[in-house]
Each structure stands twice: as C-alpha cells, then as structure tokens.
Amino acid sequence: MRKFTLMLVALMVATMSFAQKAWVPQMHQKTLTPAKEVFSPSHRNVQKKITKTTPAKVGYVSKRKVASADELVGPAIIMNETWYSDPAGGGNSVNIKKSEDEDNVILIYNLVPDATEPIYAEVDFEEGTISIEPGQVLFTDDQYGYGDIVLAAIDEGADNIQPDFDAMIEGTISEDGVIVFGNWADFIKEGQYAGYYWDDAIYQSTIFPANGKMDCNIVDGTEADAVSWNVVMFQSNDTVTVYNFGDHGQPVDIILTKEGKLSIPSQLVIDIYQSEEETINDYYTYSIDWAKMSINSYTIEGEATEDDLTFGNWVMYSTSGYFMGGKLADGHIYYIDGEKFSFDFEEPEPDVPVTVPENLQTEDYFFKATDATDESAVKMPLKVGFDGNDIYVQGLCSYLPDAWVKGTLEDGIATFATGQYFGNLRNTYDLYFIGVDALTNSISDVQFEYDEEAGVFTTNNIVFISLKKEEISYVGYYVDVTIEKVTEFPATPVDPVMSGFAPYNAETGYGQIAFEIPLESVNGEDLIAGKLYYQLYTRTTEGVEAPYVFTSALYKNVTEDMTEVPYAFADNLDFADYQGLKFVYLNFATAGYKAFGVQSIYKGGDETHKSNIVWVENTELGINDIAAGAAQGVTYTDLAGRAVAQPAHGLYIKTVKMADGTKKSVKVLVK
C-alpha cells in the first residue's frame, strides 16, 4: 500500500481537542430522539454499543459488592449515549474520590473532557441509587467569554434541549460498581446564550470501574508529553477489546498472536456529530510516520507480553484530513489489577467459502433491492441451484460475484445463515454475508418466503455485505430485498448508461471508461445476464467508427481477440464490475480518438438484438478531467468509508466538490 501525505489544514489541527472544536453553543433545534439503532447508514464502520438495560455488556464484571463510597473510589471510564442518532456516543476517563466530609458523597472528576471541577454526587447504598444536584460548575470558559458551564438535567417536558435546574439527575449503582444516570447536558449558565448546551446532550451515561491503563507520549519536535487514560479491557481468544482507546469512549479490538505480536486494524475511535456546518466526520486509527507526516498502514503493529501491549507511532485521523489528540507515540496498555494477557488461546478455524455440489443445476434469478445508503435501486444477476432441501445462490456479493451462499428450504421458508464467508478481496478485505432482523435491529439469519410457482423469494430482513463476521461494518446495505426468477425470450436491450471517462495517462499507463449495462429490455422486461454482452466502439478524429478489439497483447486475461464482452466477464485487473457499473481500462493512447461508444447485445431466445451505441466524447467531464475552475476539491474514500489521500490499488469513491457547492461522486478503480 502506498504511503499518503496527511492533509493538514493548519498547525493548530495537530493539537486541537474535541472540546475545542465544539465550543460553539448548540441551538435548540434538535427534537429529543434517543439513539436506539444498532447501526447508522451514514457510517461505514459500525462499532459495538453499550446496551442501556445491561451496561455490564462491555465485558468487565467486577467481583465487588458495593456497600460504601470506598468501594467506588478509583479510576473509571464514562461512556455516553447522546440524544442524537449520530453519533451513538463518546466518553473519556474519569476518576472517583470519596468526600472527606460525608460518607455517602462521591466526587466525580473529569465528567466532561474540559472539566476543571469535580461533580458531587450523593449515594444511597441501601437503595443502590445516585443523585446529582444541578447547577454545579464543570468549568469556566475564559477563551470565548461564555463564563460558567454548569451541569443540569434536560427538561423532560420540552420539545428541545433545555436545562431544568430544579430537577435532580438520578441514577443507579449496580452491585458491580457500575453507575448509570442520564438525561443531562453541560449548559451555559448566564449571558446571551444562557440555557444553550455546550457540548453534548446525554441520553444515558454509564461509568465503569477501569481495570487497565493506556499510556502514550505526545511528540512535538524534541518534546514528549506523557498522557495516561483509563480503559476497560476483556479478552476473548486472540482478541483484546479495549474500551476508551484514545480517551474517546469507543472500543477498539487488538489481535494477539502466539509469537508475541499484536495488530490493531484501522477502527473507528472518535464518532463526532455532523451537522450541515460541521464536517469533521469520524476518526480512525492508523500507523503513521511522524517524521514524514505520512500514513504507514491501516494496521498498527506492536509487541505483546503477558504484562503489557506496546506499539509505536499512531494517529487518530479523520475522513476530512484532520488528526486529533496530537502526535501520538509509544502506546502502552496494561492491566492495573494484576490480570495477565493470555496467549494460550486456540487458533480460530479459518473461514472457508461455500462450495457447491458437483453438477449442480442452476437457473437465472435477479437480486432486487434498495441500496439503503443512497436509496437507489439495485439489480444484480444471480445463479440459484437446488440440491434437495439445500439452496445455493451465487452473485450476492458484487465484489466477489463467483462466491456462493447456502440456505435450507423447509415448509416454504428459505433460511440463509448469517456470517457466511464470501472470500477475500484483493488480499485486503474479508467479506461476509450478514442479516439483520428489521424489527429488533439485531443480527440474525435471513429468512425468505419462497413462492415456488412464481419463482420469487421475499424477505423483511436487511442484508449486509460486511467486512466483519459478527458485527456490521458494511460495504453493501440492502433493504426491500427480493430474489426473482428470470425466463428467456427474444428482446432488445435498453441503451447503456455512460458514467465516466478518463483519457490515457502516460504515468499510470491506462485510461478508463465506466458505464452501466442495464439488465432489462426496451419493454421493461428482465434479461438473463448470461445472454447479455457489450461492445466497445471508437470514433477517430476523422469520424471513422469501428468496434474495438481487445487483444492478449494489451489485456493480460484476454486469451484470444474479443470484441463482444460477456456481461459477467471481470478479471478485477482490466475489467471490473460494481453492482452493474462496469469499469474497462483503456491500455492504449486515446489521443487519436474523438469519442468512445458502448453498445448492449442480447442473445436470448435464439435471436440477437442490439441497442443503440451510446457515446462519450474524449473531452467530456468525467472521472479525472475536471473542467478548469469548476472543482474546489477532490476526496477519495475506500470501501470502509475511510479517507485516502493518494489511492493505491483498489476500488474507491471519488467525490468532487464543485464551485457552486454541488458534489459529484463516482466509483473509480485504481490498478
């Protein structure tokens, strides 16, 4: 993977904090809607959340029974769920001390990241409850002149977020020492903006006793400042999950090996609310070379012993080109209660793609759905085969169209187990079939009702193509899913749809043309993908039109000269497909051609019918040749939604921001 240079807006970005960025008081425009979803369509990487009714789900279970304030004293972390659906929440380190004057009062330090004053909370140990008096000062804002920022309950009778200084903030304390309270915010106390909340409006806060520490150095030139954060950790087989990684509440998984190594794949670590005015977006972990100011890898590598986990330079880097928390180095994670990291775990069984029985007979179907990320219609060709009660489906994953999933048919219900492995894409991404029950928002098997006579499968479940097996980190998100059988008959295909064009680039050695070949006839009928072809045409500057011949001399996986390209032909090198969007690399100089054309050809029902040729001019606004002065900026993201400054080999989403504020997004493939 190529290194890419960080896009720094200003030197201040290197040291800015979340609280500094979010200083502007929030207007009372948000209707109170708690974040109840297990995933958000706007996020490519979805992290675990703390269930409201079972806060110990974080994985840390204390052995203590809390009977006095002494039992609550010590380091902890706070995890917050906000009133917004985006983000799910954040968090930070807190510390709890006992009041010197009253046995039933505790002091919570650092309730919010900017807090300079502790919050006093009264505890009833018999009832297991906690009460926090409103109006307590968290800190005083001298930088912008807003004065005291105070803690208060949110008025439950108001439609918008407003303080209620007469209501106590109430909560509970479990026998495990977990404190839960909610419905509060930090408000400006006086002045023009009195009653405006400062940072976040919290639906529920959960404070967990910490069982570990995460230390880092913040390196700036020759100076190094040490920071230390509280964390909650638990280990399952080869994975250590660390909550509050980077002191922002989110969980991060660290993978251990028996050889004493660790790896931290790039994961969401800061989840920032986005409004129309605020576009900092989400922050992910990366390995970085601070000397060169360039990303080394999506994965942070390090060393693991029974006593601690260590790693080198790393960064929390956003999808908009900022980094948070300074120049981080010398990561060190360890337990504070004597627990050890374990290396006697069993190696997990490798995931294996589904294989089909020999001589399986298949028929042509279509996968039809709505892409929930942009509400566009999706239509992908499938092969479906039956072997007794077993059902095999090929083509659900557009990235790996040859991969299969397996289901079972019983009493008219076809069940496909969640977590099935499609395979690995470009030696980088593992892809899985994941189902979600739309009623409970929980991961589940996908069940279809099967109408054998009509040849139609229908489901209310949600289907994901995920980068993870047991949680949602999606690259495909589909609702309103049906699978429908296709019959063969003569038909004329509709015209191709041109998506973009990039002229030959001498530096890369190729150009690119992108287009769609709709799988339907001019009468709106479904066409069988195996009977559909396309043909590329060229038009010279003299106006001569001719079919282009793909040769083995220029195209590695073309074994003999080819003019008609089968719809499903893709080698992910010179020919690629993404949900019907075709990419063809032009491995030749394009300067001598005025235009390029594409024609659809259908050979169903023993007849051949052709569409019109659709042309794109060599100088037309396309994938790369943005008109001078028209574009203000260009950004790339990978399949996981992470920003990439200099795309290397793979598929990316390229977004061009125009001078008029509009955006043009296209999918591009880089060799």
Side-chain angles (χ1 to χ4, degrees), residues 166-198:
D166 295 323
M168 299 289 283
I169 300 170
E170 306 285 356
T172 61
I173 301 177
S174 74
E175 292 184 352
D176 299 317
V178 177
I179 301 172
V180 181
F181 58 95
N183 205 38
W184 65 276
D186 45 0
F187 291 96
I188 297 174
K189 184 178 181 181
E190 299 174 339
Q192 179 183 356
Y193 293 104
Y196 283 40
Y197 71 92
W198 178 265

Side-chain angles (χ1 to χ4, degrees), residues 397-419:
C397 179
S398 62
Y399 299 103
L400 298 170
D402 293 334
W404 296 82
V405 294
K406 179 183 177 181
T408 56
L409 182 62
E410 185 174 351
D411 297 330
I413 302 297
T415 302
F416 293 82
T418 189

Side-chain angles (χ1 to χ4, degrees), residues 107-174:
L107 283 65
I108 305 173
Y109 286 80
N110 204 42
L111 185 68
V112 298
D114 280 341
T116 57
E117 302 295 331
I119 292 299
Y120 288 75
E122 185 175 338
V123 180
D124 185 328
F125 291 102
E126 290 295 325
E127 298 295 328
T129 60
I130 185 172
S131 299
I132 303 174
E133 187 174 347
Q136 297 186 61
V137 176
L138 291 161
F139 61 94
T140 301
D141 171 58
D142 295 321
Q143 183 175 4
Y144 302 106
Y146 289 99
D148 288 344
I149 309 301
V150 299
L151 177 72
I154 295 173
D155 187 344
E156 295 184 358
D159 292 332
N160 298 312
I161 298 169
Q162 299 182 28
D164 183 348
F165 288 107
D166 295 323
M168 299 289 283
I169 300 170
E170 306 285 356
T172 61
I173 301 177
S174 74

Side-chain angles (χ1 to χ4, degrees), residues 604-633:
D606 296 324
E607 296 181 15
T608 299
H609 295 268
K610 299 182 179 181
S611 73
N612 298 311
I613 302 173
V614 177
W615 295 91
V616 58
E617 297 295 323
N618 202 348
T619 56
E620 183 173 295
L621 176 66
I623 295 173
N624 288 330
D625 49 332
I626 303 300
Q632 286 189 332

Side-chain angles (χ1 to χ4, degrees), residues 332-451:
H332 181 206
I333 297 174
Y334 52 96
Y335 285 104
I336 56 178
D337 58 4
E339 190 172 342
K340 303 288 186 181
F341 294 106
S342 171
F343 293 90
D344 57 356
F345 50 82
E346 295 181 3
E347 293 288 347
E349 290 292 329
D351 292 313
V352 178
V354 171
T355 57
V356 300
E358 255 186 87
N359 303 318
L360 178 71
Q361 299 297 310
T362 63
E363 296 180 282
D364 292 286
Y365 282 71
F366 272 118
F367 175 88
K368 296 182 179 181
T370 299
D371 187 328
T373 62
D374 58 12
E375 299 185 350
S376 62
V378 175
K379 184 178 178 181
M380 297 187 295
L382 304 177
K383 291 288 187 181
V384 177
F386 293 83
D387 182 38
N389 289 333
D390 293 334
I391 309 173
Y392 296 88
V393 178
Q394 182 187 54
L396 281 174
C397 179
S398 62
Y399 299 103
L400 298 170
D402 293 334
W404 296 82
V405 294
K406 179 183 177 181
T408 56
L409 182 62
E410 185 174 351
D411 297 330
I413 302 297
T415 302
F416 293 82
T418 189
Q420 295 187 59
Y421 182 55
F422 287 117
N424 186 272
L425 177 65
R426 298 181 181 273
N427 295 317
T428 304
Y429 301 104
D430 287 319
L431 298 178
Y432 298 89
F433 171 82
I434 301 291
V436 165
D437 187 310
L439 296 177
T440 64
N441 266 350
S442 59
I443 292 175
S444 67
D445 297 339
V446 177
Q447 290 192 324
F448 291 87
E449 292 185 9
Y450 176 51
D451 185 333

